[in-house]
Amino acid sequence: MTIATKRALLLPYTELFESNFLMLNCCTKNRAFLGGPLTISVARERFHQLLVSADIFAMAVLDNYNREYIGHIQLSVSKGIGDLLFIFDKAYWGKGFAYEALKSFIPNMRAQNCFLTEIKATVQAQNKAAVRLLNKLGFQSYGRKPDEFFFICDVEESRTLPL
């Protein structure tokens, strides 16, 4: 399944995206709010896991204008609960690409996964942009540790939200 928005193209992962995924996830700045950069071996292992796992729904995000790989969106589902992860290249931060891509990705995932009841996301407290983004997408804060915020989106309730 391919998802097209005005400025982004979301494509299912294939082996062709491996080097892009590695570069995105091994970059210190891109992963500044995700616990730091991954090693190449860990990033490669995660990439191959998302290719084969039936519980991971992941898409490569491309700039619709130049077809550059700009990000990664992933929903790991277990017992009806999805764990949302997203990362975008630093060159695309603050330009609305994450909102646009997630706004299309989430409804598509809930339409494809009848068993999905809620989606959770965890962000570091200092990542103010991600906090605003999740609020804008209709997620509600449900907890906090000193360095993290926890968000939840009830899938049934969000069917009425303007995602």
Side-chain angles (χ1 to χ4, degrees), residues 24-64:
L24 182 72
N25 281 283
C26 294
C27 175
T28 303
K29 182 148 186 181
N30 290 341
R31 289 193 53 91
F33 299 112
L34 291 170
L38 300 178
T39 64
I40 292 173
S41 61
V42 169
R44 183 170 282 123
E45 181 181 319
R46 289 191 185 174
F47 180 79
H48 288 284
Q49 181 184 12
L50 72 86
L51 288 179
V52 298
S53 177
D55 299 328
I56 298 175
F57 303 92
M59 301 195 90
V61 183
L62 280 64
D63 183 322
N64 215 1

Coordinates of all heavy atoms in Angstrom, one line a residue, residues 24-64:
L24 N 19.8 7.5 8.2 CA 18.9 8.3 9.0 C 19.1 7.9 10.5 O 19.1 8.8 11.3 CB 17.4 7.9 8.6 CG 16.3 8.7 9.4 CD1 16.2 10.1 9.0 CD2 15.0 8.0 9.1
N25 N 19.2 6.6 10.8 CA 19.3 6.2 12.2 C 20.7 6.2 12.8 O 20.8 6.0 14.0 CB 18.7 4.8 12.3 CG 17.2 4.9 12.3 OD1 16.6 5.2 13.3 ND2 16.6 4.6 11.1
C26 N 21.7 6.4 12.0 CA 23.1 6.5 12.5 C 23.5 7.9 12.7 O 24.7 8.2 13.1 CB 24.0 5.7 11.6 SG 23.7 3.9 11.7
C27 N 22.7 8.9 12.4 CA 23.0 10.3 12.4 C 22.7 10.8 13.9 O 21.6 10.7 14.4 CB 22.2 11.1 11.4 SG 22.4 12.9 11.6
T28 N 23.7 11.4 14.5 CA 23.6 12.0 15.8 C 22.4 13.0 15.9 O 21.6 12.9 16.9 CB 24.9 12.6 16.3 OG1 25.9 11.6 16.2 CG2 24.8 13.1 17.7
K29 N 22.3 13.9 15.0 CA 21.3 15.0 15.1 C 19.9 14.4 14.8 O 19.0 14.8 15.6 CB 21.6 16.1 14.1 CG 20.6 17.2 14.2 CD 21.1 18.5 13.9 CE 20.0 19.6 14.2 NZ 20.4 20.9 14.0
N30 N 19.7 13.5 13.9 CA 18.4 13.0 13.6 C 17.9 12.2 14.8 O 16.7 12.2 15.0 CB 18.5 12.0 12.4 CG 18.7 12.7 11.1 OD1 18.5 13.9 10.9 ND2 19.1 11.9 10.1
R31 N 18.8 11.5 15.5 CA 18.3 10.7 16.7 C 18.6 11.4 18.0 O 18.6 10.8 19.1 CB 19.0 9.4 16.6 CG 18.5 8.5 15.5 CD 18.9 7.1 15.6 NE 18.6 6.5 16.9 CZ 17.4 5.9 17.2 NH1 16.5 5.7 16.3 NH2 17.3 5.4 18.4
A32 N 18.7 12.8 18.0 CA 19.0 13.5 19.2 C 18.0 13.3 20.3 O 18.3 13.3 21.5 CB 19.1 15.0 18.9
F33 N 16.7 13.0 19.9 CA 15.6 12.8 20.9 C 15.2 11.4 20.9 O 14.1 11.1 21.5 CB 14.4 13.7 20.5 CG 14.7 15.2 20.5 CD1 14.8 15.9 19.4 CD2 15.0 15.8 21.7 CE1 15.1 17.3 19.4 CE2 15.3 17.2 21.8 CZ 15.3 17.9 20.6
L34 N 16.0 10.5 20.4 CA 15.6 9.1 20.4 C 16.8 8.2 21.0 O 17.0 7.1 20.7 CB 15.4 8.6 19.0 CG 14.1 9.1 18.3 CD1 14.1 8.8 16.8 CD2 12.9 8.6 19.0
G35 N 17.5 8.8 22.0 CA 18.5 8.1 22.7 C 19.8 8.0 22.0 O 20.7 7.2 22.3
G36 N 20.0 8.9 21.0 CA 21.3 8.9 20.3 C 21.4 8.0 19.1 O 20.4 7.2 18.8
P37 N 22.4 8.1 18.3 CA 22.5 7.3 17.1 C 22.7 5.8 17.3 O 23.2 5.4 18.3 CB 23.8 7.9 16.4 CG 24.6 8.4 17.5 CD 23.6 8.9 18.6
L38 N 22.2 5.1 16.4 CA 22.3 3.6 16.4 C 23.7 3.3 15.8 O 24.1 4.0 14.9 CB 21.2 2.9 15.7 CG 19.8 3.2 16.1 CD1 18.8 2.4 15.2 CD2 19.6 2.8 17.6
T39 N 24.2 2.2 16.2 CA 25.4 1.7 15.4 C 24.9 1.1 14.1 O 23.7 0.8 14.0 CB 26.1 0.6 16.2 OG1 25.2 -0.6 16.4 CG2 26.6 1.1 17.6
I40 N 25.8 0.9 13.2 CA 25.4 0.4 11.9 C 24.8 -1.0 12.0 O 23.8 -1.3 11.4 CB 26.5 0.4 10.9 CG1 26.9 1.9 10.5 CG2 26.2 -0.4 9.6 CD1 28.1 2.1 9.7
S41 N 25.4 -1.8 12.9 CA 24.9 -3.2 13.0 C 23.5 -3.2 13.7 O 22.7 -4.0 13.2 CB 25.9 -4.1 13.8 OG 26.1 -3.5 15.1
V42 N 23.3 -2.4 14.6 CA 21.9 -2.3 15.3 C 20.9 -1.8 14.3 O 19.8 -2.3 14.2 CB 22.0 -1.5 16.6 CG1 20.6 -1.2 17.1 CG2 22.8 -2.2 17.6
A43 N 21.2 -0.7 13.6 CA 20.3 -0.2 12.6 C 20.0 -1.2 11.5 O 18.8 -1.3 11.1 CB 20.9 1.1 12.0
R44 N 21.0 -1.9 11.1 CA 20.8 -2.9 10.0 C 19.9 -4.1 10.6 O 19.0 -4.5 9.9 CB 22.1 -3.5 9.6 CG 22.0 -4.6 8.5 CD 23.3 -5.0 7.8 NE 23.7 -3.9 6.9 CZ 24.9 -3.2 7.0 NH1 25.8 -3.5 7.9 NH2 25.2 -2.3 6.1
E45 N 20.1 -4.5 11.8 CA 19.3 -5.5 12.4 C 17.8 -5.0 12.5 O 16.9 -5.8 12.2 CB 19.8 -5.8 13.8 CG 19.0 -6.9 14.5 CD 19.6 -7.2 15.9 OE1 20.8 -7.2 16.1 OE2 18.8 -7.3 16.9
R46 N 17.6 -3.8 12.9 CA 16.2 -3.2 13.0 C 15.6 -3.1 11.7 O 14.4 -3.4 11.5 CB 16.2 -1.9 13.7 CG 16.5 -2.0 15.2 CD 16.3 -0.7 15.9 NE 16.7 -0.8 17.3 CZ 16.7 0.2 18.1 NH1 16.3 1.4 17.8 NH2 17.1 0.0 19.4
F47 N 16.4 -2.8 10.7 CA 15.8 -2.7 9.3 C 15.3 -4.0 8.8 O 14.2 -4.2 8.3 CB 16.8 -2.1 8.3 CG 16.3 -2.0 6.9 CD1 15.5 -1.0 6.6 CD2 16.6 -3.0 6.0 CE1 15.0 -0.9 5.3 CE2 16.1 -2.9 4.7 CZ 15.3 -1.8 4.3
H48 N 16.1 -5.1 9.0 CA 15.7 -6.4 8.5 C 14.6 -6.9 9.4 O 13.8 -7.7 8.8 CB 17.0 -7.3 8.5 CG 17.9 -7.0 7.4 ND1 17.7 -7.3 6.1 CD2 19.1 -6.3 7.4 CE1 18.6 -6.8 5.4 NE2 19.5 -6.2 6.1
Q49 N 14.5 -6.6 10.6 CA 13.4 -7.0 11.5 C 12.1 -6.4 10.9 O 11.0 -7.1 10.9 CB 13.6 -6.6 12.9 CG 12.5 -7.0 13.8 CD 12.7 -6.5 15.3 OE1 13.5 -5.6 15.5 NE2 11.9 -7.0 16.2
L50 N 12.1 -5.1 10.6 CA 10.8 -4.5 10.1 C 10.4 -5.1 8.7 O 9.2 -5.0 8.4 CB 10.9 -3.0 10.1 CG 11.8 -2.2 9.0 CD1 11.0 -2.0 7.8 CD2 12.2 -0.9 9.6
L51 N 11.3 -5.6 8.0 CA 11.0 -6.2 6.7 C 10.2 -7.5 6.9 O 9.4 -7.9 6.0 CB 12.2 -6.5 5.8 CG 12.9 -5.3 5.2 CD1 14.2 -5.8 4.5 CD2 12.0 -4.5 4.3
V52 N 10.5 -8.3 7.9 CA 10.0 -9.6 8.1 C 8.9 -9.7 9.1 O 8.1 -10.7 9.1 CB 11.1 -10.7 8.3 CG1 12.0 -10.7 7.2 CG2 11.8 -10.4 9.6
S53 N 8.8 -8.8 10.1 CA 7.9 -8.9 11.2 C 6.4 -8.6 10.7 O 6.2 -7.6 10.1 CB 8.2 -8.0 12.3 OG 7.3 -8.0 13.3
A54 N 5.5 -9.5 11.2 CA 4.1 -9.3 10.9 C 3.5 -8.3 11.8 O 2.4 -7.8 11.5 CB 3.4 -10.7 11.0
D55 N 4.2 -8.0 12.9 CA 3.6 -7.1 13.9 C 4.1 -5.6 13.7 O 3.8 -4.8 14.5 CB 4.0 -7.5 15.3 CG 3.4 -8.9 15.6 OD1 2.3 -9.2 15.1 OD2 4.0 -9.7 16.3
I56 N 5.0 -5.4 12.7 CA 5.5 -4.1 12.5 C 5.0 -3.6 11.2 O 5.2 -4.2 10.1 CB 7.1 -4.1 12.5 CG1 7.6 -4.5 13.9 CG2 7.6 -2.7 12.1 CD1 9.1 -4.6 13.9
F57 N 4.3 -2.4 11.2 CA 3.8 -1.8 10.0 C 4.7 -0.5 9.8 O 4.5 0.5 10.6 CB 2.3 -1.4 10.1 CG 1.5 -2.7 10.4 CD1 1.2 -3.0 11.8 CD2 1.1 -3.4 9.4 CE1 0.5 -4.2 12.0 CE2 0.3 -4.6 9.7 CZ 0.0 -4.9 11.0
A58 N 5.6 -0.5 8.9 CA 6.5 0.6 8.7 C 6.5 1.1 7.3 O 6.3 0.3 6.3 CB 7.9 0.1 9.1
M59 N 6.7 2.4 7.1 CA 6.8 3.0 5.8 C 7.9 4.0 5.7 O 8.2 4.7 6.7 CB 5.4 3.7 5.5 CG 4.3 2.7 5.6 SD 2.8 3.4 4.8 CE 3.0 2.8 3.1
A60 N 8.5 4.0 4.5 CA 9.5 4.9 4.2 C 8.8 6.2 3.7 O 7.8 6.1 3.0 CB 10.4 4.4 3.1
V61 N 9.3 7.3 4.2 CA 8.7 8.6 3.8 C 9.6 9.3 2.8 O 10.8 9.5 3.1 CB 8.4 9.5 5.0 CG1 7.7 10.8 4.6 CG2 7.6 8.8 6.1
L62 N 9.1 9.7 1.7 CA 9.8 10.3 0.6 C 9.3 11.7 0.4 O 8.1 11.9 0.5 CB 9.8 9.5 -0.7 CG 10.8 8.3 -0.8 CD1 10.5 7.3 0.2 CD2 10.7 7.8 -2.2
D63 N 10.1 12.6 0.0 CA 9.7 14.0 -0.4 C 9.0 13.8 -1.8 O 9.7 13.2 -2.7 CB 10.9 14.9 -0.5 CG 10.6 16.3 -0.9 OD1 9.7 16.5 -1.8 OD2 11.2 17.2 -0.4
N64 N 7.8 14.2 -1.9 CA 7.1 13.9 -3.2 C 7.7 14.7 -4.4 O 7.5 14.3 -5.5 CB 5.6 14.3 -3.0 CG 4.6 13.5 -3.7 OD1 5.0 12.5 -4.4 ND2 3.4 13.8 -3.6

